[in-house]
Amino acid sequence: MRISVSSDMDEPVARALLGQLRERGHDVVAYGALSPGDDPQWAACSEAAAREVAAGNADQAVVCCWTGTGASIAANKVPGVRAALCTDAYTADGARRWNDANVLALSLRLTSEPLLKEILDAWFAAEASADAEDRENVARVNRLDHQHGTRTHPERKR
């Protein structure tokens, strides 16, 4: 699997992430502080990694920043991306299973190397649910990408 990875800082857990993904046999493309000369700002590098997924050049992405929040927000602004900030294995499993997440967001501050392994194990073991309700929720989120700038509620009276 081809995975784009971004981090706004060259932290030990970010380097461990690259190593873990390569050990698992994935083709990894790095952005931000993990790629000399790239823009290391969390918004820029997270967007770059997410755009690879949206364009079909990467199967998934992992985006990182200090809390993971900014990276997930930036990635989710890219149409076609469903990024999930995961701080534990259970959340990673659910993000893949119920939300069909295609981008994993991680906190550089909260994620230890053992926890990183647990999160990646859960992320890669889970598959998107075939349940009709789950699929409809994902389809609804996908439709939001195409409704950008369109009102989905009636005007409120003042």
Side-chain angles (χ1 to χ4, degrees), residues 49-69:
R51 285 202 182 282
E52 290 296 306
V53 174
N57 298 328
D59 301 295
Q60 295 180 5
V62 183
V63 296
C64 307
C65 69
W66 192 240
T67 65
T69 305

Side-chain angles (χ1 to χ4, degrees), residues 1 3 5 11-28 34 62 64 104 106 111-124:
M1 184 180 308
I3 301 178
V5 177
E11 291 283 315
V13 73
R15 288 190 299 278
L17 170 63
L18 293 176
Q20 278 282 324
L21 293 172
R22 288 180 177 129
E23 283 177 24
R24 294 165 188 257
H26 300 295
D27 178 21
V28 178
L34 302 174
V62 183
C64 307
L104 170 63
L106 295 173
T111 310
S112 65
E113 289 188 38
L115 180 58
L116 172 65
K117 184 180 181 320
E118 291 174 14
I119 290 170
L120 292 176
D121 287 346
W123 180 267
F124 290 118

Side-chain angles (χ1 to χ4, degrees), residues 1 60 82 89-102 119-131 134-135 138:
M1 184 180 308
Q60 295 180 5
R82 292 175 305 282
Y90 183 79
T91 306
D93 174 75
R96 291 285 299 136
R97 185 178 316 279
W98 300 310
N99 311 128
D100 196 11
N102 53 12
I119 290 170
L120 292 176
D121 287 346
W123 180 267
F124 290 118
E127 293 184 14
S129 169
D131 179 79
D134 294 334
R135 298 312 313 157
V138 171

Side-chain angles (χ1 to χ4, degrees), residues 6 40 46 66 74 85 106 121 128 130 134 138 142 145 151 155 157:
S6 71
S46 298
W66 192 240
L85 175 55
L106 295 173
D121 287 346
D134 294 334
V138 171
N142 287 339
D145 287 336
R151 285 204 172 295
E155 283 292 322
K157 293 183 181 180

Side-chain angles (χ1 to χ4, degrees), residues 28-39:
V28 178
V29 179
Y31 292 91
L34 302 174
S35 179
D38 262 11
D39 187 341

